[in-house]
Amino acid sequence: MMRLPKFEYSTPRELAEAVKIMASVGPEGQFVAGGTDLYPNMKRRQQTPKTVISVMHLPELNQITGDGKSGVSIGASVTLTDICENPLINRDYPVVAHAARSISTPILRNMGTIGGNLLLDTRCNYYDQNYEWRKGINFCLKKDGDVCWVAPGSSKCWAVQSADLVPVMVAIGAKLRFASTLGDRMIAAAGLYNDDGIDYLHKRPDELLVDLELPPINGWRASYQKLRRRGAFDFPVLGVAAWVQLDQAGLVANAKVILGGIAPSPVKVNEAAQALIGQPLDREHIEAAAEAAYVKARPLDNTDFVMNWRKQMTRQYTLRALKELV
Ligand SMILES: Cc1cc2nc3c(=O)[nH]c(=O)nc-3n(C[C@H](O)[C@H](O)[C@H](O)COP(=O)(O)OP(=O)(O)OC[C@H]3O[C@@H](n4cnc5c(N)ncnc54)[C@H](O)[C@@H]3O)c2cc1C
Ligand code: SF4
C-alpha cells in the first residue's frame, strides 16, 4: 500500500488567509482542492509539499454566478459533479458539462474540482509510477533524474497535458483569475499553458486560482471529442475541442480547433481555422480542417496507444467534433 508522506494540513476559511499562509510557507507549500491528483502524486513521491493548504472552504471558490447572456463565473473549487449537474451550465455551456462528464468516475467527480482539473500535473508512462518503479529506471528528468526516457537526447520533458477541460476552456476563450499576496491577475486560458512537461503553467506556485469566466454566448458553438481506452473512465490520450462562430450568411466567421492529450500544452491548429473561416461549415471544409489537425498532431510514445494511431485518430476526432457543430 502506498502511504502519504507526513505534511501539515491547513484549512483556511478566507481567501486572504489562504494566500497569506502560502506566502509564509513558500516553496514548501501547495494548494489542494479535491486532492484526486495531488494525493496520488504525493503517495508516489512525485510532489512532496510540507504544507498542504485546502481551498475547499473559501466562499469565493464555491459559487457559480451569471448566465449565458452576460457570461458565467465558476469558482475553482466547484466540483466536477456540480458542473455536470448544473442546469445553467447544461443549458448555456453544454460543451463544458459534456467534457466534465467524461472525466474519471462519478466518485472522483464528487471530489475533483474544475480548478484542479485546469491545473492538473502533466502525465507520462515513465512518471506516473510508484517510487520504486521510477527508481528502477533511475528516475527521469521530470522528477529526481537527469534523462528523458521518451526522448533521451532532449533537454525538455514531453509529459502530456491530460485534463479534459483544458482544450475546451482554451477553445471557448475562458479567462482565469489568480490571487496572491501580491494582488490579483486575470489571464486567458490560452496563455496559461507552457509547452514543457515540467514547467507546464505560466503561473507562480503561490498563486491561487479563484475562478474562471466563461464568455457570453453570442452565436458561438463548441464541441469536445475524447479518445481513451476505456469508455467508463480513462485520461484522454487525445482530446479535440472545436469552436465556431457563424456570420449572418451562415459562413464561418471565426473558428478554433484545439488538441489536448498529445503534447505538454494544448495545441492550437491555426491551419484548421484557416480552412474553415469564410467558408460554409460543410463536408469539404470540415475534411480540410481535419486534415490540418492530423498534419499538426505529433503525439509521442508516452501515453496509452501507439503514437501513429493517435495521430491518425486526430483526423477522425476532429471530423467528429466539427460535424457536431453543423
Ligand atoms: C483514476 C483517475 C482517473 C482520472 N481521470 C481523469 C480524466 O479522465 N480526465 C481528467 O481530466 N482528469 C482525470 N483525473 C484527474 C483528476 O481527478 C481531475 O483532473 C480532477 O479534476 C482534479 O481536481 P482536484 O480538485 O482533485 O485536484 P487536486 O488534486 O486537488 O489539485 C490538482 C493540482 O491543482 C492545484 N490546485 C488545485 N486547486 C487549486 C487552486 N484553486 N489554486 C491553485 N492551485 C490549485 C494543486 O496544487 C495540484 O497541483 C483522474 C484521476 C484519477 C485518480
Ligand atoms: S517525458 Fe521524459 S522527462 Fe518527461 S516525464 Fe516522461 S520520461 Fe520523464
Side-chain angles (χ1 to χ4, degrees):
M1 188 177 75
M2 289 193 292
R3 287 179 192 279
L4 279 168
K6 285 207 166 112
F7 61 94
E8 297 286 324
Y9 184 64
S10 152
T11 53
R13 306 278 153 166
E14 286 177 19
L15 187 55
E17 191 192 348
V19 293
K20 213 168 145 192
I21 299 171
M22 180 56 102
S24 69
V25 296
E28 302 277 84
Q30 194 160 351
F31 293 117
V32 70
T36 63
D37 187 52
L38 181 64
Y39 292 141
N41 282 3
M42 287 173 69
K43 287 182 177 176
R44 295 187 292 244
R45 306 303 191 261
Q46 292 156 322
Q47 286 163 326
T48 50
K50 296 275 180 296
T51 303
V52 173
I53 305 157
S54 170
V55 298
M56 291 307 275
H57 304 285
L58 310 176
E60 298 89 333
L61 275 68
N62 279 295
Q63 52 194 15
I64 300 179
T65 54
D67 60 31
K69 260 192 180 168
S70 56
V72 161
S73 163
I74 305 177
S77 297
V78 171
T79 66
L80 296 170
T81 297
D82 285 340
I83 300 287
C84 297
E85 293 177 355
N86 185 280
L88 181 87
I89 306 245
N90 276 282
R91 187 193 67 192
D92 293 345
Y93 301 90
V95 65
V96 174
H98 164 72
R101 262 192 291 277
S102 79
I103 296 171
S104 52
T105 66
I107 294 167
L108 282 159
R109 290 197 293 272
N110 288 343
M111 291 298 296
T113 64
I114 190 162
N117 190 253
L118 296 181
L119 303 176
L120 193 72
D121 194 8
T122 51
R123 296 181 60 81
C124 171
N125 287 344
Y126 296 91
Y127 172 71
D128 290 297
Q129 306 288 351
N130 65 37
Y131 183 83
E132 284 69 29
W133 193 103
R134 292 189 295 114
K135 192 177 173 192
I137 60 161
N138 207 14
F139 304 103
C140 79
L141 212 56
K142 185 159 160 72
K143 177 73 178 148
D144 299 327
D146 50 18
V147 70
C148 170
W149 296 112
V150 174
S154 169
S155 57
K156 170 181 156 177
C157 165
W158 296 89
V160 176
Q161 177 278 306
S162 308
D164 285 294
L165 282 165
V166 168
V168 171
M169 291 303 163
V170 173
I172 71 176
K175 292 187 177 148
L176 312 175
R177 185 194 319 276
F178 288 96
S180 72
T181 49
L182 303 178
D184 286 11
R185 73 174 175 120
M186 191 94 176
I187 65 163
L192 180 63
Y193 301 97
N194 187 28
D195 196 34
D196 180 318
I198 297 171
D199 191 14
Y200 52 91
L201 295 173
H202 290 295
K203 163 192 169 319
R204 294 193 318 273
D206 66 317
E207 286 184 299
L208 183 150
L209 178 60
V210 181
D211 55 22
L212 48 147
E213 283 187 8
L214 309 186
I217 303 285
N218 48 4
W220 58 263
R221 308 170 194 170
S223 64
Y224 179 65
Q225 288 285 331
K226 168 176 181 172
L227 172 67
R228 55 180 161 179
R229 184 175 289 271
R230 296 170 294 189
F233 82 100
D234 248 328
F235 281 92
V237 289
L238 167 69
V240 181
W243 175 97
V244 294
Q245 215 167 15
L246 303 183
D247 65 16
Q248 303 280 6
L251 302 180
V252 176
N254 215 336
K256 281 181 246 172
V257 172
I258 311 291
L259 309 179
I262 56 159
S265 64
V267 176
K268 187 173 182 204
V269 189
N270 291 328
E271 300 78 1
Q274 280 155 19
L276 295 168
I277 292 172
Q279 308 294 343
L281 193 57
D282 59 12
R283 187 179 169 155
E284 179 192 342
H285 298 99
I286 286 176
E287 283 179 357
E291 189 62 23
Y294 162 76
V295 170
K296 183 97 177 226
R298 300 218 194 293
L300 284 171
D301 198 10
N302 59 349
T303 67
D304 198 5
F305 292 131
V306 178
M307 60 184 181
N308 286 340
W309 188 74
R310 281 162 63 217
K311 179 171 171 69
Q312 285 173 37
M313 285 302 104
T314 311
R315 187 190 282 120
Q316 296 308 323
Y317 277 64
T318 308
L319 275 177
R320 287 184 197 175
L322 285 167
K323 278 182 184 167
E324 234 185 279
L325 303 179
V326 174

